[in-house]
Amino acid sequence: MDIKLLTINQLQQAYGSGELSVEAVISAYLDSITHQDSKIKAYLEVLGDKAVKQAEALDSKLRKGEKPGKLFGVPVAIKDNLCLQGSKTTAASKILENYIAPYTATTVQRLLNAGAVVLGKTNMDEFAMGSSCENSAFQKTKNPWDLKRVPGGSSGGSAAAVASQEALVALGSDTGGSIRQPASFCGQVGLKPTYGRVSRYGLIAMASSLDQIGPIARNVADAFKVYQTIAGPDPNDTTTVKALTFDEAALQKGFKNLKIGILKDAYVEGMDEGVVEKIQEAKKLMQENSAEVIEIEVPRAKLSLAIYYIIVTSEVSSNLARYDGIRYGMGKTFNESENFLDYTTRIRAEGLGEEAQRRVLLGAYTLSKGYADRYYHKALALQKSIAKDFEAAFKKVDVVFGPTAPTVAFKLGEKFGDPLTMYLSDIFTVPANIANLPAISLPIGFAHKMPVGGQFVGPSFREDLIFQAAAAYENISGISNLVSAKI
Ligand code: GLN
């Protein structure tokens, strides 16, 4: 038996029957990291000793007959923009290179409280800006299915870790697709919850009005278990509003009472033929399994990408203003003999990468006097109308299905020097963020020997519906628990 192929449920059973110890499982995952991660580079930091100690403590709890938590002995990886007290939390930026988190993010704490074991912190695009993980200041993560390709971004390290058996599940963050697109590129399941469902306390902010934390897992049930653990109100994040009102039973309903919409103009120019084919096959498969699929229109959804890049850059320029090299770990000191403006210009040019600098500049422009009305405020107004269009669509259907990304994972370097082309890889993921809808990506097949992801989007706070649809699809397609070939 390959321990690393067990799902969360199977692991719990094996722990319960005494067939496996947490220590054995954690060691198996740490071995996998030792053998492969020098090639994949999913992790920025591996917390091996801590993980083994935690595993021993959990095993002794089990021996004492204590009731195990929901994620008892589950090995997890954490994106490096989530704080873990006493550990480095860099958001893959040089400006935070030596930042040690003084507290733990609510989501991470909830995982720990449920008995999960943190294996380490994963690589990402700097401050979560990017779609390929190439914007990390420290290393470029490779796609475990083909080391010449990117894992997607920004949560590329988390997705690559799960796909290569270097973690069973992982946390990522999604502002415009950063959980779903890497999940799709690496053949995994990735969920972006509705904004307000999961606490952002302890998440290093990118665009605070859009950021959400969610799971990456090998199957829908595992993603649900992590989601269920991290979701719900938190006094430390007053934007968290609603408690969960559904349980795992939502995963067993099949396509019953579920009307699925497919966008009339779901495809874009330059889209990979292989991806288009898989989406059409997925539609057919659902119909053959008695799902009701109809075509719908969300007329202004196509404006989402333009609006997204105005709102995001505006918020980024404001959120990143706090990094001056003195606070948060870069360890610089300000010498009175230097003009402060010269000092910050110098330090920020040194500490922030190109994409971060580009967005700070763009955002300063879209927020500036005379331009804010033309860009930022206009984008906010249009954001509302897109949400309204989706609301109208959800009067006709329960969920919307479509591609997660226009292509499979692209080659390293292929889009790196061309930010606009890179931004276009978010075209199908950003509408859910802009309209504040929950969305889940899951593998639906392969093209060019690489995984292809499909996405279900639901009405606000109806994660139950997208989980139902995703579980039903996973069931009929038989595609789940994908792990890449051994490296
Ligand atoms: N790729 C998108 C961007 O660069 C999304 C990032 C994210 O969701 N964090 O903004």
Side-chain angles (χ1 to χ4, degrees):
M1 170 180 66
D2 183 353
I3 291 178
K4 301 190 297 301
L5 284 178
L6 300 178
T7 63
I8 295 182
N9 266 342
Q10 291 167 332
L11 259 191
Q12 308 281 289
Q13 271 165 21
Y15 289 145
S17 66
E19 204 181 322
L20 277 178
S21 69
V22 182
E23 217 192 319
V25 172
I26 297 307
S27 304
Y29 274 95
L30 289 173
D31 277 355
S32 169
I33 297 173
T34 310
H35 288 121
Q36 306 180 117
D37 208 50
S38 56
K39 289 189 189 121
I40 296 174
K41 296 187 184 298
Y43 283 92
L44 285 174
E45 189 177 16
V46 180
L47 301 165
D49 292 345
K50 267 194 194 165
V52 170
K53 275 209 189 98
Q54 211 190 324
E56 285 167 359
L58 287 170
D59 279 330
S60 92
K61 269 190 185 177
L62 205 59
R63 279 194 297 273
K64 281 188 210 135
E66 277 181 42
K67 194 173 171 286
K70 272 207 172 78
L71 296 180
F72 185 87
V74 172
V76 302
I78 305 289
K79 187 176 180 178
D80 204 32
N81 57 356
L82 285 162
C83 289
L84 175 65
Q85 191 177 27
S87 286
K88 267 209 264 180
T89 299
T90 68
S93 178
K94 228 175 128 191
I95 212 152
L96 287 176
E97 193 165 4
N98 300 309
Y99 177 63
I100 309 281
Y103 65 102
T104 298
T106 300
T107 45
V108 179
Q109 193 57 53
R110 286 183 180 175
L111 293 185
L112 291 170
N113 295 349
V117 179
V118 174
L119 298 177
K121 305 295 291 291
T122 52
N123 195 30
M124 54 185 282
D125 287 295
E126 183 177 10
F127 286 108
M129 300 177 213
S131 313
S132 69
C133 241
E134 291 166 296
N135 291 336
S136 165
F138 306 119
Q139 64 195 30
K140 293 195 197 319
T141 301
K142 314 284 169 17
N143 191 310
W145 295 89
D146 176 354
L147 298 179
K148 291 196 186 71
R149 293 177 190 260
V150 302
S154 64
S155 316
S158 286
V162 177
S164 61
Q165 302 186 315
E166 293 185 13
L168 178 55
V169 291
L171 287 186
S173 65
D174 191 313
T175 307
S178 276
I179 290 174
R180 290 161 288 154
Q181 185 255 24
S184 128
F185 279 11
C186 293
Q188 307 303 311
V189 175
L191 167 81
K192 180 204 86 80
T194 314
Y195 185 86
R197 184 63 105 182
V198 176
S199 167
R200 292 170 297 116
Y201 180 69
L203 167 72
I204 294 178
M206 173 189 171
S208 314
S209 77
L210 299 170
D211 299 338
Q212 266 297 283
I213 300 163
I216 295 178
R218 294 193 208 130
N219 58 64
V220 178
D222 283 1
F224 176 75
K225 286 222 153 58
V226 176
Y227 166 67
Q228 193 184 28
T229 307
I230 61 174
D234 172 17
N236 285 324
D237 176 357
T238 50
T239 63
T240 50
V241 283
K242 292 197 185 175
L244 267 197
T245 51
F246 68 100
D247 59 22
E248 219 170 333
L251 274 54
Q252 313 301 336
K253 293 184 185 160
F255 287 115
K256 212 170 140 206
N257 297 332
L258 211 59
K259 220 183 233 181
I260 298 160
I262 293 204
L263 291 185
K264 249 188 192 147
D265 47 359
Y267 308 118
V268 294
E269 221 185 281
M271 206 174 148
D272 189 312
E273 286 295 322
V275 175
V276 174
E277 210 172 277
K278 288 297 136 192
I279 293 293
Q280 281 160 354
E281 281 174 26
K283 179 181 166 192
K284 219 171 122 210
L285 185 66
M286 287 192 273
Q287 282 168 328
E288 282 164 6
N289 284 274
S290 65
E292 193 182 346
V293 184
I294 61 166
E295 277 200 340
I296 51 150
E297 274 176 292
V298 184
R300 285 171 287 194
K302 46 173 116 37
L303 300 176
S304 301
L305 195 68
I307 291 166
Y308 171 82
Y309 274 97
I310 291 172
I311 295 176
V312 161
T313 50
S314 303
E315 291 190 30
V316 161
S317 86
S318 147
N319 268 332
L320 264 53
R322 76 192 71 170
Y323 302 112
D324 54 11
I326 302 170
R327 292 170 293 175
Y328 312 115
M330 205 183 178
K332 300 282 177 192
T333 42
F334 173 58
N335 181 341
E336 301 274 332
S337 65
E338 191 177 3
N339 172 304
F340 189 67
L341 192 60
D342 291 343
Y343 161 81
T344 34
T345 309
R346 180 169 61 80
I347 292 300
R348 283 164 67 81
E350 210 182 286
L352 295 176
E354 258 184 37
E355 184 60 27
Q357 290 187 36
R358 180 178 299 119
R359 295 199 193 191
V360 166
L361 292 174
L362 284 170
Y365 178 72
T366 51
L367 287 178
S368 63
K369 191 160 182 276
Y371 292 98
D373 277 344
R374 221 190 275 177
Y375 295 105
Y376 183 61
H377 292 126
K378 198 170 174 184
L380 290 183
L382 279 166
Q383 180 181 21
K384 288 205 181 92
S385 53
I386 292 174
K388 280 208 178 105
D389 283 1
F390 270 105
E391 255 173 52
F394 285 125
K395 292 210 169 92
K396 297 187 193 119
V397 295
D398 299 297
V399 294
V400 176
F401 177 74
T404 307
T407 64
V408 295
F410 42 88
K411 298 249 167 71
L412 278 140
E414 191 181 322
K415 302 189 180 185
F416 187 54
D418 184 355
L420 277 183
T421 313
M422 189 72 92
Y423 296 169
L424 277 172
S425 49
D426 307 323
I427 193 147
F428 296 131
T429 46
V430 290
N433 305 78
I434 287 297
N436 191 22
L437 310 169
I440 190 166
S441 173
L442 79 165
I444 58 164
F446 287 81
H448 318 290
K449 297 194 180 131
M450 294 301 290
V452 175
Q455 176 181 225
F456 287 104
V457 179
S460 283
F461 294 106
R462 294 305 306 270
E463 281 84 359
D464 56 329
L465 294 177
I466 58 169
F467 267 114
Q468 182 189 339
Y473 187 86
E474 182 182 70
N475 206 13
I476 56 168
S477 73
I479 305 174
S480 79
N481 276 5
L482 291 181
V483 286
S484 61
K486 286 271 163 301
I487 311 290

